[in-house]
Structure formats: C-alpha cells, structure tokens
C-alpha cells in the first residue's frame, strides 16, 4: 500500500477500524496501544485473516509511536469508554489528558498527518487535539455526524422497511444529546421523510438517534458501540485517502460559519486529501438555528471545562 494510517487505541473501535481499513485495501495500518501485546496480537490475527479476506494490506502492532512515522492519517480512539449511566461529558477530565499525550506523540513522528478524533466527549477532544498538535484547523476532524447520520438512516430504513442504500440523513451539532437531526434534509430515494411518515414517528426517530449511543451502552452493559463508529471513521479516512471529496457531516472548527466562532461543531464538510476542504453552509429555519445554537452552547460549556482543567 502507498498510504499509511495509524489507529491509536486497540480496543473494540480501534481494532474494528483497523480491520475495515485493511479489508478495503485502503492502506497499511499501524495499531498502537499502551497495553503490551494487545495491538501486536490483534494485528497478527488480522494479518492471518488476510489470505481468506484477500487483501495485501500490512498490519503492525506497537506500544510505541516510532512505528507510526509518516502516517497520512491518524485515527484516535484512545480513552476510557462510557459505562451505563455515564454521559459522554463525564469522560472529559480523564480523556483530555490521554488525547493530549497521544497527539503530542503523533505530531512528533507524523507532522503532516490528518487527525480523525473518535474519543469522547468528541467535540471537546477535538479542541484538545487541535491545541496539542498546532495543526491547521482543516487537519483536525471529529467523527460524529457520519455516525449519527448512519444511525438516523438505519432507523428510517427500519421504520419504512426500505433499503438503507436509499436513505440519506442529515445531522448537525455536537455529538451528544443536543445533536440536531434535520428531517427536511433527510430522504428516501430523494423523497423527504416528512412526506413518508407522520411527525410523531419522525420525532421518535430523531430522539432515538440522539440517544443512539446510550441505547447500545445500556444493552451491552459492559461496553459501548464500536462497529458503526469504526465504519464512520473509515468512511472519512477513505474520502481523504482517495481524495473523493465526499460531503460528510463531521465535527469541524468553525470560525464564523453558521454564526459560530472558535468551536468544533458537526456540519457538512467536503473531505479530500487536505482534510476539511470546505464547510458547506445551508440555510436553516429559525427552529433549526435555535437547536444548533443550543448544541453549540453545550460544546462551549465543555470547552470552558477544559480551560479550567488546564
């Protein structure tokens, strides 16, 4: 492979992301974790699956960052996961320290990499990574909207008994309970879902989307979602590696767009070889703008907590 992606954190999200990257033959993969033997063992296991899955991607496991040198993209999944009853925000103090340390190591060996942040609380961890890296804003991106939109799409497909391939959904805002799904931009084969189901059903799906992560945490009891989060991070990586210029909802650093300044917020962006190549601004209704502003205020609150921790 002529591309290299590092995945930091060899837990369920990180290992699944490594698997998806390799099986799509997008790049060689380095899996890094502080636990001795875990990234090495999982990488070897994935390499032994390669003859069956028919890919020639090389996977390497490491406990140090030397092996990550010259990565094109680094997907950061490190940190403690949510447990039942915990909000994403409860993780902030522990994970902020982890993300700062990881980012500093990454920058040392891959000064030109693009960072995709997956660790929670997502929007706050993007701020930590931006500050710790010193990278331009286009090279630090949060994985949130792709996951939230995928959840919304899945629920729409289940509700209407249609192919998920026909569904498209739009979710703005912070990655948490204040996220802003936009039904009028969410469609099935181009038909707005507002034409296909009553408002009360749409509202129920919107609510389920906002609480999608918590629903899975509650069911698993000893972990959190990882298949869909890994897939979402890999879709972003693929658009960057192949310079596809997909329009995807991601946490991007806004400086005036949507009337929001100096905050990571989920918005539609064009993802290409340079990371965030354009923030797509759409005209919101008053209710949608109010909801987005409320979400931004929640992210600002997390940013304020980070400032106190510093």
């Amino acid at each position: 492979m002529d591309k290299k992606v590092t995945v930091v954190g060899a837990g369920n999200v990180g290992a699944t992301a490594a698997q998806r990257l390799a099986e799509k033959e997008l790049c060689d993969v380095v899996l890094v974790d502080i636990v001795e033997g875990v990234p090495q063992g999982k990488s070897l296991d994935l390499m032994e699956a390669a003859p069956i899955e028919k890919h020639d991607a090389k996977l390497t496991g490491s406990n140090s960052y030397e092996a990550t040198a010259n990565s094109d993209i680094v997907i950061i999944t490190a940190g403690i996961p949510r447990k039942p009853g915990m909000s994403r925000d409860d993780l902030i103090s522990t994970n902020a320290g982890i993300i700062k340390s990881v980012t500093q190591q990454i920058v040392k060996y891959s000064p030109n990499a693009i960072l995709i942040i997956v660790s929670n609380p997502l929007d706050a961890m993007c701020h930590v990574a931006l500050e710790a890296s010193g990278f331009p804003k286009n090279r630090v991106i949060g994985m949130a909207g792709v996951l939230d939109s995928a959840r919304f799409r899945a629920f729409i497909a289940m509700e209407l008994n249609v192919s998920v391939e026909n569904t498209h959904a739009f979710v703005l805002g912070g990655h948490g309970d204040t996220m802003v799904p936009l039904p009028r931009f969410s469609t099935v084969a181009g038909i707005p879902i507002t034409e296909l189901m009553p408002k009360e059903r749409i509202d129920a799906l919107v609510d389920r989307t906002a609480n999608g992560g918590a629903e899975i945490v509650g069911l698993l009891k000893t972990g959190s979602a990882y298949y869909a989060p890994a897939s979402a991070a890999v879709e972003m990586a693929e658009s960057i590696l192949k310079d596809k210029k997909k329009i995807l909802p991601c946490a991007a650093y806004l400086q005036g767009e949507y009337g929001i300044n100096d905050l990571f917020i989920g918005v539609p962006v064009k993802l290409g070889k340079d990371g965030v190549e354009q923030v797509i601004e759409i005209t919101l209704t008053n209710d949608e703008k109010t909801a987005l502003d409320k979400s931004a205020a929640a992210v600002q609150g997390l940013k304020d907590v980070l400032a106190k921790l510093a």
Side-chain angles (χ1 to χ4, degrees), residues 73-183:
I73 296 174
V74 179
I75 299 173
I76 300 178
T77 74
I80 59 168
R82 275 203 290 176
K83 296 180 176 64
M86 288 178 75
S87 73
R88 291 183 178 91
D89 301 355
D90 291 335
L91 307 173
I92 189 164
S93 58
T94 300
N95 284 354
I98 294 170
I99 300 308
K100 181 178 180 181
S101 172
V102 164
T103 303
Q104 288 169 340
Q105 288 293 314
I106 288 300
V107 171
K108 181 178 174 184
Y109 292 102
S110 299
N112 298 311
I114 291 169
L115 306 182
I116 296 176
I117 311 302
V118 180
S119 309
N120 278 317
L122 188 281
D123 310 281
M125 294 306 102
C126 289
H127 281 282
V128 173
L130 182 71
E131 188 172 319
S133 67
F135 284 180
K137 63 178 183 175
N138 60 296
R139 285 169 46 205
V140 179
I141 317 161
M143 187 292 294
V146 177
L147 170 62
D148 298 329
S149 297
R151 285 174 170 157
F152 198 16
R153 289 173 63 189
F155 300 150
I156 291 166
M158 289 184 230
E159 180 77 14
L160 296 173
N161 193 28
V162 298
S163 168
V164 290
E165 291 184 40
N166 279 150
T167 64
H168 293 274
F170 221 140
V171 179
L172 299 179
H175 186 50
D177 301 339
T178 61
M179 69 179 71
V180 187
L182 297 182

Side-chain angles (χ1 to χ4, degrees), residues 61-310:
S62 180
N63 301 120
S64 68
Y65 285 84
E66 285 89 342
T68 71
N70 302 313
S71 293
D72 296 284
I73 296 174
V74 179
I75 299 173
I76 300 178
T77 74
I80 59 168
R82 275 203 290 176
K83 296 180 176 64
M86 288 178 75
S87 73
R88 291 183 178 91
D89 301 355
D90 291 335
L91 307 173
I92 189 164
S93 58
T94 300
N95 284 354
I98 294 170
I99 300 308
K100 181 178 180 181
S101 172
V102 164
T103 303
Q104 288 169 340
Q105 288 293 314
I106 288 300
V107 171
K108 181 178 174 184
Y109 292 102
S110 299
N112 298 311
I114 291 169
L115 306 182
I116 296 176
I117 311 302
V118 180
S119 309
N120 278 317
L122 188 281
D123 310 281
M125 294 306 102
C126 289
H127 281 282
V128 173
L130 182 71
E131 188 172 319
S133 67
F135 284 180
K137 63 178 183 175
N138 60 296
R139 285 169 46 205
V140 179
I141 317 161
M143 187 292 294
V146 177
L147 170 62
D148 298 329
S149 297
R151 285 174 170 157
F152 198 16
R153 289 173 63 189
F155 300 150
I156 291 166
M158 289 184 230
E159 180 77 14
L160 296 173
N161 193 28
V162 298
S163 168
V164 290
E165 291 184 40
N166 279 150
T167 64
H168 293 274
F170 221 140
V171 179
L172 299 179
H175 186 50
D177 301 339
T178 61
M179 69 179 71
V180 187
L182 297 182
R184 70 190 179 97
F185 288 107
S186 301
T187 61
V188 176
I191 305 164
I193 61 169
T194 50
E195 303 279 318
L196 297 171
M197 62 180 102
K199 183 178 185 302
E200 62 268 19
R201 289 310 305 150
I202 293 173
D203 289 345
L205 299 190
V206 165
D207 185 63
R208 191 178 182 190
T209 300
N211 294 290
E215 181 179 1
I216 291 174
V217 169
L219 289 166
L220 293 177
K221 296 181 176 60
T222 56
S224 54
Y226 55 95
Y227 294 122
S231 291
V234 171
E235 183 176 29
M236 292 167 63
E238 181 175 24
S239 189
I240 295 165
L241 291 168
K242 293 184 175 179
D243 196 25
K244 289 171 78 77
K245 303 195 189 299
K246 275 189 172 184
I247 307 295
L248 295 171
C250 304
Y253 192 67
L254 301 188
Q255 292 181 301
E257 300 93 344
Y258 292 93
I260 295 168
N261 281 291
D262 304 328
L263 277 182
F264 276 94
I265 289 287
V267 291
V269 303
K270 182 191 291 182
L271 277 190
K273 63 180 172 55
D274 297 319
V276 175
E277 297 187 352
Q278 183 184 351
V279 172
I280 310 295
E281 286 196 77
I282 56 174
T283 303
L284 301 177
T285 66
N286 288 337
D287 285 349
E288 289 163 352
K289 182 68 169 76
T290 299
L292 184 60
D293 288 343
K294 179 184 175 186
S295 191
V299 175
Q300 182 63 54
L302 292 178
K303 191 179 174 187
D304 294 343
V305 171
L306 286 173
K308 288 175 187 170
L309 291 172

